[in-house]
Amino acid sequence: MKIIDRPALAPLTTLGLGGRALAEIRLDSPEDCLHLDDVLAGCGDVRVLGGGSNLLVHDGDLPFVVLRPLFGAKSPCGGAAEPEILGEEDGPDGRRTLIRAGAGMRVPHLLAWSAARDLAGLEGLVGVPGRVGGAVAMNAGAYGCSTAPLMRSLDVFTPERGLHTLTPEGWKAAYRHFSLVEDCAWYISVSVVLSLRRAAPGSVRAAARENFLRKKSVQPVHERTAGCVFKNPEGLSAGKLLDEAGMKGRRLGAMYFSPMHANFLVHDMKCGLPGRCDDALALIREAQKAVFEHSGIRLSMEVKEWSSCLC
Ligand SMILES: Cc1cc2nc3c(=O)[nH]c(=O)nc-3n(C[C@H](O)[C@H](O)[C@H](O)COP(=O)(O)OP(=O)(O)OC[C@H]3O[C@@H](n4cnc5c(N)ncnc54)[C@H](O)[C@@H]3O)c2cc1C
């Protein structure tokens, strides 16, 4: 465990925005969680950080401690850790391989590892820059794939029950939503067991590549963003609604809605203006109002806002 005083959060997020938290606690092993009770005593609120790729963090002094689970990110010899192969199971679509991945493992590494072994299921997550714990917490997905249906069990830590293992009855998942059934103030995903289908040689890599080319042709994948700002309302595209409401390209300071895909808020790091979360929030409120006035639809946020206010 390592504790860093008053860390700047902007460098820890893909959007590159945010002020300073009270502290950052790097958790290198699940056992580190067992000491959190003592370490956090009197510290107040807590946030759990993955790869920071789905976050909008407020500016200024932030009244919370950031927990940073890095389990499964690095092997003891320093390189990226590998998932563990646990065994096999039969599925309706053929043989499947069960693997365990630590919550701190990077999604691109997990996808590359499974593609090299022709294990299918994660190829829709191509281009998702987060960590495994964040993919679980967001039920991340695209191109017909999402994380939760692949999950067989999840090891978690909660302040109420400590380290324990959940089976699918222990969580609720929906489109870009994941929560534990049990009551807890917060939870840390420690590791997840995923069931991946055995596919034809080379087919997973080919599908991932095709998905990435599709993604690259319509999304600003090389800009500083936090992915899609808003969830798609059922049967509709938030990007299309934003476009129709005139939000494509709309700019405030260093923040603008991408002219390529209006559901991506971009931080222009080269324009000479400081990136401000307040500008991002003003654009988001403006977009919600414009879409509501134009189509009567209320867009809800996919990006998680880490507020400077505890109210
Ligand atoms: C270029 C780009 C493309 C993207 N494309 C997609 C896409 O195609 N599909 C998609 O679904 N998303 C996409 N995203 C959004 C984002 O990458 C995903 O939501 C991702 O799963 C977030 O993971 P993260 O580790 O970065 O989580 P963070 O952003 O760090 O956190 C997100 C949420 O997860 C929680 N969390 C993180 N780790 C843990 C943990 N170990 N235990 C408990 N809670 C945790 C956080 O508290 C927070 O509530 C994209 C983002 C970018 C920048």
mmCIF file of all heavy atoms in Angstrom, residues 30-63:
data_model
loop_
_atom_site.group_PDB
_atom_site.id
_atom_site.type_symbol
_atom_site.label_atom_id
_atom_site.label_comp_id
_atom_site.label_asym_id
_atom_site.label_seq_id
_atom_site.Cartn_x
_atom_site.Cartn_y
_atom_site.Cartn_z
ATOM 1 N N PRO A 30 -4.938 -7.517 -2.605
ATOM 2 C CA PRO A 30 -6.251 -7.502 -1.955
ATOM 3 C C PRO A 30 -6.135 -7.366 -0.432
ATOM 4 O O PRO A 30 -6.985 -6.754 0.211
ATOM 5 C CB PRO A 30 -6.849 -8.856 -2.349
ATOM 6 C CG PRO A 30 -6.168 -9.215 -3.637
ATOM 7 C CD PRO A 30 -4.782 -8.659 -3.534
ATOM 8 N N GLU A 31 -5.045 -7.913 0.133
ATOM 9 C CA GLU A 31 -4.873 -7.854 1.596
ATOM 10 C C GLU A 31 -4.724 -6.409 2.076
ATOM 11 O O GLU A 31 -5.047 -6.098 3.224
ATOM 12 C CB GLU A 31 -3.645 -8.669 2.047
ATOM 13 C CG GLU A 31 -3.799 -10.169 1.906
ATOM 14 C CD GLU A 31 -3.884 -10.644 0.460
ATOM 15 O OE1 GLU A 31 -3.164 -10.072 -0.396
ATOM 16 O OE2 GLU A 31 -4.689 -11.557 0.164
ATOM 17 N N ASP A 32 -4.244 -5.518 1.192
ATOM 18 C CA ASP A 32 -4.146 -4.096 1.567
ATOM 19 C C ASP A 32 -5.509 -3.550 1.989
ATOM 20 O O ASP A 32 -5.604 -2.642 2.820
ATOM 21 C CB ASP A 32 -3.630 -3.254 0.383
ATOM 22 C CG ASP A 32 -2.130 -3.396 0.184
ATOM 23 O OD1 ASP A 32 -1.460 -3.942 1.081
ATOM 24 O OD2 ASP A 32 -1.641 -2.974 -0.880
ATOM 25 N N CYS A 33 -6.583 -4.103 1.381
ATOM 26 C CA CYS A 33 -7.935 -3.611 1.698
ATOM 27 C C CYS A 33 -8.242 -3.812 3.184
ATOM 28 O O CYS A 33 -9.017 -3.053 3.780
ATOM 29 C CB CYS A 33 -8.999 -4.362 0.892
ATOM 30 S SG CYS A 33 -8.854 -4.168 -0.874
ATOM 31 N N LEU A 34 -7.644 -4.862 3.786
ATOM 32 C CA LEU A 34 -7.966 -5.193 5.179
ATOM 33 C C LEU A 34 -7.468 -4.119 6.144
ATOM 34 O O LEU A 34 -7.901 -4.065 7.284
ATOM 35 C CB LEU A 34 -7.387 -6.569 5.539
ATOM 36 C CG LEU A 34 -7.863 -7.709 4.621
ATOM 37 C CD1 LEU A 34 -7.135 -9.002 4.932
ATOM 38 C CD2 LEU A 34 -9.380 -7.895 4.748
ATOM 39 N N HIS A 35 -6.553 -3.258 5.671
ATOM 40 C CA HIS A 35 -6.033 -2.195 6.550
ATOM 41 C C HIS A 35 -6.755 -0.864 6.319
ATOM 42 O O HIS A 35 -6.442 0.136 6.961
ATOM 43 C CB HIS A 35 -4.533 -2.003 6.313
ATOM 44 C CG HIS A 35 -3.753 -3.266 6.489
ATOM 45 N ND1 HIS A 35 -3.569 -3.855 7.710
ATOM 46 C CD2 HIS A 35 -3.158 -4.087 5.590
ATOM 47 C CE1 HIS A 35 -2.877 -4.973 7.562
ATOM 48 N NE2 HIS A 35 -2.626 -5.137 6.270
ATOM 49 N N LEU A 36 -7.724 -0.872 5.387
ATOM 50 C CA LEU A 36 -8.339 0.409 5.013
ATOM 51 C C LEU A 36 -9.106 1.035 6.164
ATOM 52 O O LEU A 36 -9.165 2.260 6.293
ATOM 53 C CB LEU A 36 -9.264 0.217 3.804
ATOM 54 C CG LEU A 36 -8.551 0.129 2.455
ATOM 55 C CD1 LEU A 36 -9.524 -0.181 1.340
ATOM 56 C CD2 LEU A 36 -7.808 1.439 2.172
ATOM 57 N N ASP A 37 -9.707 0.174 7.001
ATOM 58 C CA ASP A 37 -10.476 0.680 8.139
ATOM 59 C C ASP A 37 -9.638 1.654 8.970
ATOM 60 O O ASP A 37 -10.065 2.765 9.281
ATOM 61 C CB ASP A 37 -10.872 -0.528 9.011
ATOM 62 C CG ASP A 37 -12.268 -0.375 9.540
ATOM 63 O OD1 ASP A 37 -12.969 0.499 9.003
ATOM 64 O OD2 ASP A 37 -12.629 -1.103 10.475
ATOM 65 N N ASP A 38 -8.402 1.224 9.284
ATOM 66 C CA ASP A 38 -7.511 2.068 10.099
ATOM 67 C C ASP A 38 -7.052 3.289 9.309
ATOM 68 O O ASP A 38 -7.070 4.412 9.799
ATOM 69 C CB ASP A 38 -6.246 1.287 10.499
ATOM 70 C CG ASP A 38 -6.609 0.080 11.346
ATOM 71 O OD1 ASP A 38 -7.655 0.139 12.015
ATOM 72 O OD2 ASP A 38 -5.856 -0.913 11.297
ATOM 73 N N VAL A 39 -6.662 3.041 8.046
ATOM 74 C CA VAL A 39 -6.080 4.129 7.246
ATOM 75 C C VAL A 39 -7.127 5.213 6.985
ATOM 76 O O VAL A 39 -6.814 6.407 6.974
ATOM 77 C CB VAL A 39 -5.542 3.570 5.915
ATOM 78 C CG1 VAL A 39 -4.996 4.681 5.041
ATOM 79 C CG2 VAL A 39 -4.475 2.537 6.163
ATOM 80 N N LEU A 40 -8.378 4.800 6.784
ATOM 81 C CA LEU A 40 -9.405 5.769 6.382
ATOM 82 C C LEU A 40 -10.098 6.435 7.569
ATOM 83 O O LEU A 40 -10.920 7.321 7.355
ATOM 84 C CB LEU A 40 -10.476 5.085 5.528
ATOM 85 C CG LEU A 40 -10.051 4.666 4.121
ATOM 86 C CD1 LEU A 40 -11.150 3.863 3.454
ATOM 87 C CD2 LEU A 40 -9.727 5.901 3.277
ATOM 88 N N ALA A 41 -9.749 5.988 8.787
ATOM 89 C CA ALA A 41 -10.471 6.479 9.971
ATOM 90 C C ALA A 41 -10.553 8.007 9.943
ATOM 91 O O ALA A 41 -9.533 8.688 9.893
ATOM 92 C CB ALA A 41 -9.768 6.003 11.217
ATOM 93 N N GLY A 42 -11.764 8.518 9.923
ATOM 94 C CA GLY A 42 -11.988 9.961 9.983
ATOM 95 C C GLY A 42 -11.719 10.685 8.684
ATOM 96 O O GLY A 42 -11.754 11.912 8.633
ATOM 97 N N CYS A 43 -11.436 9.968 7.605
ATOM 98 C CA CYS A 43 -11.071 10.632 6.338
ATOM 99 C C CYS A 43 -12.289 11.105 5.550
ATOM 100 O O CYS A 43 -12.149 11.871 4.608
ATOM 101 C CB CYS A 43 -10.283 9.688 5.447
ATOM 102 S SG CYS A 43 -8.561 9.699 5.824
ATOM 103 N N GLY A 44 -13.454 10.595 5.876
ATOM 104 C CA GLY A 44 -14.650 11.026 5.139
ATOM 105 C C GLY A 44 -14.905 10.155 3.931
ATOM 106 O O GLY A 44 -14.714 8.946 3.976
ATOM 107 N N ASP A 45 -15.259 10.816 2.846
ATOM 108 C CA ASP A 45 -15.763 10.099 1.681
ATOM 109 C C ASP A 45 -14.642 9.412 0.886
ATOM 110 O O ASP A 45 -13.492 9.820 0.946
ATOM 111 C CB ASP A 45 -16.490 11.100 0.783
ATOM 112 C CG ASP A 45 -17.769 10.494 0.239
ATOM 113 O OD1 ASP A 45 -18.066 9.337 0.563
ATOM 114 O OD2 ASP A 45 -18.434 11.170 -0.560
ATOM 115 N N VAL A 46 -15.063 8.408 0.090
ATOM 116 C CA VAL A 46 -14.105 7.599 -0.662
ATOM 117 C C VAL A 46 -14.575 7.474 -2.104
ATOM 118 O O VAL A 46 -15.776 7.411 -2.365
ATOM 119 C CB VAL A 46 -14.064 6.186 0.007
ATOM 120 C CG1 VAL A 46 -13.597 5.132 -0.941
ATOM 121 C CG2 VAL A 46 -13.218 6.208 1.259
ATOM 122 N N ARG A 47 -13.637 7.458 -3.060
ATOM 123 C CA ARG A 47 -13.947 7.139 -4.455
ATOM 124 C C ARG A 47 -12.969 6.058 -4.908
ATOM 125 O O ARG A 47 -11.811 6.076 -4.486
ATOM 126 C CB ARG A 47 -13.758 8.356 -5.380
ATOM 127 C CG ARG A 47 -14.622 9.562 -5.062
ATOM 128 C CD ARG A 47 -16.054 9.377 -5.543
ATOM 129 N NE ARG A 47 -16.837 10.575 -5.304
ATOM 130 C CZ ARG A 47 -17.382 10.930 -4.153
ATOM 131 N NH1 ARG A 47 -17.226 10.144 -3.092
ATOM 132 N NH2 ARG A 47 -18.075 12.041 -4.038
ATOM 133 N N VAL A 48 -13.439 5.174 -5.805
ATOM 134 C CA VAL A 48 -12.568 4.114 -6.315
ATOM 135 C C VAL A 48 -12.199 4.459 -7.763
ATOM 136 O O VAL A 48 -13.078 4.698 -8.595
ATOM 137 C CB VAL A 48 -13.276 2.739 -6.252
ATOM 138 C CG1 VAL A 48 -12.328 1.641 -6.717
ATOM 139 C CG2 VAL A 48 -13.764 2.452 -4.832
ATOM 140 N N LEU A 49 -10.892 4.486 -8.025
ATOM 141 C CA LEU A 49 -10.403 4.868 -9.357
ATOM 142 C C LEU A 49 -9.886 3.653 -10.115
ATOM 143 O O LEU A 49 -9.117 2.856 -9.575
ATOM 144 C CB LEU A 49 -9.265 5.889 -9.194
ATOM 145 C CG LEU A 49 -8.589 6.370 -10.476
ATOM 146 C CD1 LEU A 49 -9.519 7.277 -11.274
ATOM 147 C CD2 LEU A 49 -7.304 7.118 -10.150
ATOM 148 N N GLY A 50 -10.334 3.526 -11.370
ATOM 149 C CA GLY A 50 -9.769 2.499 -12.249
ATOM 150 C C GLY A 50 -8.778 3.177 -13.180
ATOM 151 O O GLY A 50 -7.807 3.805 -12.750
ATOM 152 N N GLY A 51 -9.085 3.139 -14.480
ATOM 153 C CA GLY A 51 -8.215 3.805 -15.457
ATOM 154 C C GLY A 51 -8.590 5.269 -15.662
ATOM 155 O O GLY A 51 -7.969 5.958 -16.486
ATOM 156 N N GLY A 52 -9.625 5.749 -14.975
ATOM 157 C CA GLY A 52 -10.023 7.157 -15.097
ATOM 158 C C GLY A 52 -10.579 7.515 -16.462
ATOM 159 O O GLY A 52 -10.581 8.686 -16.850
ATOM 160 N N SER A 53 -11.103 6.520 -17.194
ATOM 161 C CA SER A 53 -11.540 6.792 -18.565
ATOM 162 C C SER A 53 -13.034 7.026 -18.697
ATOM 163 O O SER A 53 -13.546 7.146 -19.805
ATOM 164 C CB SER A 53 -11.099 5.652 -19.496
ATOM 165 O OG SER A 53 -11.734 4.448 -19.155
ATOM 166 N N ASN A 54 -13.721 7.087 -17.536
ATOM 167 C CA ASN A 54 -15.158 7.367 -17.597
ATOM 168 C C ASN A 54 -15.530 8.415 -16.551
ATOM 169 O O ASN A 54 -16.621 8.404 -16.022
ATOM 170 C CB ASN A 54 -15.951 6.074 -17.362
ATOM 171 C CG ASN A 54 -17.367 6.180 -17.867
ATOM 172 O OD1 ASN A 54 -17.584 6.529 -19.017
ATOM 173 N ND2 ASN A 54 -18.337 5.935 -17.005
ATOM 174 N N LEU A 55 -14.568 9.315 -16.287
ATOM 175 C CA LEU A 55 -14.739 10.231 -15.157
ATOM 176 C C LEU A 55 -14.715 11.695 -15.577
ATOM 177 O O LEU A 55 -13.926 12.087 -16.450
ATOM 178 C CB LEU A 55 -13.611 10.020 -14.142
ATOM 179 C CG LEU A 55 -13.544 8.658 -13.453
ATOM 180 C CD1 LEU A 55 -12.364 8.642 -12.493
ATOM 181 C CD2 LEU A 55 -14.836 8.333 -12.717
ATOM 182 N N LEU A 56 -15.574 12.468 -14.907
ATOM 183 C CA LEU A 56 -15.549 13.920 -15.011
ATOM 184 C C LEU A 56 -15.331 14.426 -13.590
ATOM 185 O O LEU A 56 -16.240 14.365 -12.756
ATOM 186 C CB LEU A 56 -16.886 14.421 -15.581
ATOM 187 C CG LEU A 56 -17.029 15.932 -15.726
ATOM 188 C CD1 LEU A 56 -15.959 16.481 -16.663
ATOM 189 C CD2 LEU A 56 -18.406 16.294 -16.246
ATOM 190 N N VAL A 57 -14.120 14.869 -13.308
ATOM 191 C CA VAL A 57 -13.751 15.225 -11.938
ATOM 192 C C VAL A 57 -13.758 16.749 -11.792
ATOM 193 O O VAL A 57 -13.171 17.458 -12.617
ATOM 194 C CB VAL A 57 -12.349 14.658 -11.588
ATOM 195 C CG1 VAL A 57 -12.004 14.974 -10.146
ATOM 196 C CG2 VAL A 57 -12.304 13.146 -11.829
ATOM 197 N N HIS A 58 -14.401 17.224 -10.744
ATOM 198 C CA HIS A 58 -14.499 18.674 -10.522
ATOM 199 C C HIS A 58 -13.124 19.297 -10.256
ATOM 200 O O HIS A 58 -12.196 18.615 -9.820
ATOM 201 C CB HIS A 58 -15.412 18.948 -9.326
ATOM 202 C CG HIS A 58 -16.871 18.806 -9.658
ATOM 203 N ND1 HIS A 58 -17.863 19.441 -8.945
ATOM 204 C CD2 HIS A 58 -17.509 18.116 -10.636
ATOM 205 C CE1 HIS A 58 -19.044 19.136 -9.467
ATOM 206 N NE2 HIS A 58 -18.855 18.329 -10.491
ATOM 207 N N ASP A 59 -13.064 20.588 -10.498
ATOM 208 C CA ASP A 59 -11.841 21.352 -10.247
ATOM 209 C C ASP A 59 -11.704 21.631 -8.740
ATOM 210 O O ASP A 59 -12.658 21.472 -7.983
ATOM 211 C CB ASP A 59 -11.912 22.714 -10.976
ATOM 212 C CG ASP A 59 -12.160 22.566 -12.480
ATOM 213 O OD1 ASP A 59 -11.506 21.719 -13.110
ATOM 214 O OD2 ASP A 59 -13.015 23.310 -13.014
ATOM 215 N N GLY A 60 -10.521 22.089 -8.337
ATOM 216 C CA GLY A 60 -10.322 22.582 -6.972
ATOM 217 C C GLY A 60 -10.009 21.493 -5.964
ATOM 218 O O GLY A 60 -9.595 20.387 -6.322
ATOM 219 N N ASP A 61 -10.220 21.835 -4.678
ATOM 220 C CA ASP A 61 -9.935 20.879 -3.596
ATOM 221 C C ASP A 61 -11.118 19.940 -3.435
ATOM 222 O O ASP A 61 -12.245 20.392 -3.253
ATOM 223 C CB ASP A 61 -9.690 21.640 -2.285
ATOM 224 C CG ASP A 61 -8.366 22.381 -2.341
ATOM 225 O OD1 ASP A 61 -7.487 21.941 -3.115
ATOM 226 O OD2 ASP A 61 -8.231 23.398 -1.632
ATOM 227 N N LEU A 62 -10.835 18.659 -3.490
ATOM 228 C CA LEU A 62 -11.917 17.674 -3.492
ATOM 229 C C LEU A 62 -11.965 16.968 -2.128
ATOM 230 O O LEU A 62 -10.909 16.567 -1.611
ATOM 231 C CB LEU A 62 -11.685 16.661 -4.620
ATOM 232 C CG LEU A 62 -11.599 17.331 -6.004
ATOM 233 C CD1 LEU A 62 -10.997 16.395 -7.038
ATOM 234 C CD2 LEU A 62 -12.994 17.787 -6.446
ATOM 235 N N PRO A 63 -13.168 16.806 -1.581
ATOM 236 C CA PRO A 63 -13.267 16.338 -0.186
ATOM 237 C C PRO A 63 -13.328 14.820 -0.056
ATOM 238 O O PRO A 63 -14.120 14.302 0.722
ATOM 239 C CB PRO A 63 -14.596 16.970 0.260
ATOM 240 C CG PRO A 63 -15.425 16.977 -0.985
ATOM 241 C CD PRO A 63 -14.478 17.163 -2.144
#
